[in-house]
Amino acid sequence: RYKIMDNGHLLIRGIKKADEGMYNCEARVMARGEIDFRMIKVIVNVLPTIRARKSEVNATADVGESALLACDADGYPEPTVTWAHNNVVLETGDKYSLNEDGSELVIKEVKKVDEGDYTCIAKNKAGEKSEEVSLNVFVLPNITYFNNQTASEFDEEVTLTCEASGDPTPTISWRFGNRVFTEGEQASWTRPDKYEVLLKIS
């Protein structure tokens, strides 16, 4: 890996961190016994490596929850770590918080719009490397519409309506007392006068 060139230069091939240190260059005139030397310092910069602690992070929206995204970086000189989302570099403020070395990003009060890929970038004099962390944001179920019904005892049918939102889309189930209805079930009750009432579950 080491080669002295015709011009006296020292060539180091495939340089590694182990090659870092002080090199002594000597110049001699043997006939007169003269010598001169210089110490040359070699510093080897190492391209950063970066690794996400978790490639996916889950959070729930609109409940004041925070999400922690983290990447660990190595290299020489010690790399700086920055974060970006939708090509925008993130900074500590009302929405985001970064620890001292930038390895941990906290997203405050997570909302659905915060979902997506976050990029952690490690950079030093030798170059930069990046890694992506995906944030999945779930939305709690919420009943968005329902209607109360007033019915006559002799009505043939009564339809009860209930709608809900959430992510993933919530399933709707119905319960009356201790009874749980299944999808598509038709329920009927026989009253004392033997008149049957059909309740449609939608």
Side-chain angles (χ1 to χ4, degrees), residues 90-202:
L90 309 180
E91 297 179 354
T92 293
D94 293 338
K95 183 64 180 175
Y96 305 105
S97 176
L98 292 159
N99 67 343
E100 189 173 344
D101 64 4
S103 63
E104 295 182 350
L105 169 71
V106 174
I107 304 169
K108 306 172 189 174
E109 296 186 359
V110 172
K111 300 186 183 305
K112 185 63 179 176
V113 293
D114 297 322
E115 187 170 74
D117 291 332
Y118 290 75
T119 306
C120 51
I121 305 150
K123 187 175 184 178
N124 67 9
K125 289 180 180 179
E128 69 176 55
K129 288 283 185 180
S130 64
E131 186 79 13
E132 283 193 345
V133 180
S134 295
L135 177 64
N136 303 314
V137 178
F138 303 104
V139 179
L140 292 171
N142 179 47
I143 301 292
T144 56
Y145 176 80
F146 69 95
N147 66 331
N148 291 321
Q149 288 281 4
T150 300
S152 166
E153 184 175 0
F154 298 104
D155 287 343
E156 288 188 11
E157 293 182 350
V158 174
T159 301
L160 306 181
T161 303
C162 181
E163 297 175 1
S165 66
D167 189 5
T169 302
T171 57
I172 294 177
S173 60
W174 291 86
R175 180 179 292 120
F176 180 69
N178 292 326
R179 181 165 184 184
V180 177
F181 301 104
T182 58
E183 185 175 354
E185 178 180 0
Q186 291 186 327
S188 63
W189 289 266
T190 302
R191 301 180 184 278
D193 59 4
K194 306 298 183 183
Y195 187 85
E196 290 189 348
V197 175
L198 176 67
L199 176 65
K200 290 177 68 177
I201 306 302
S202 61

Side-chain angles (χ1 to χ4, degrees), residues 9 13 20 22 34 48 56 63 78-79 136 145 154 171:
H9 295 175
R13 290 192 178 94
E20 186 171 273
M22 301 298 295
E34 295 175 347
E56 279 194 342
V63 291
E78 185 175 342
N136 303 314
Y145 176 80
F154 298 104
T171 57

